[in-house]
Amino acid sequence: MPRGDTPSVDGARGSRQLWVEEPAVRRPMADPVRKAAVRAVLVVSLTLIQAMVAFLCTLAGSWLAFPMVLSSVASTVVATWAVLDVWVTRQVWRQRHGVVSEPSSSARRLRREHRRARREARAAARREARIRRREPRTQLSEAEV
């Protein structure tokens, strides 16, 4: 076997690709939802670090243990709020952009109205074009030319 060639999965000789692109199973998150999720991950990770420091300070008998425990409780409330923010942002984005396909969805109703308006505009344009084609063309007499 030559030096640069490596057998591929199917046994043929050639160079293997380092990166193979696979289709995504799920759609990517919307930008506002992604921002809220990143915020939540940062807040939750800092809360876990803070809780661990509070626990270790408690084991060590440090004077810093009590303030750390109090701040850990407060940051747990903030972390819960951040996770709820992701959920609420996701629901709001879905409702505004028509991902929810319930008959009572306001986004679905808006899409239906937009489609109806576009259909009516196209029908009016066709009617106008038909009327213009039907109008008799006036012939200019030779004296007017």
Side-chain angles (χ1 to χ4, degrees), residues 6-25:
T6 56
S8 62
V9 177
D10 59 1
R13 296 193 188 274
S15 60
R16 291 189 307 182
Q17 290 181 343
L18 181 62
W19 186 269
V20 177
E21 191 77 26
E22 294 181 6
V25 178

Side-chain angles (χ1 to χ4, degrees), residues 24-30 34 93-94 98-100:
V25 178
R26 300 172 72 183
R27 280 185 286 196
M29 279 192 276
R34 188 180 307 114
W93 191 89
R94 280 183 158 192
V99 178
V100 177

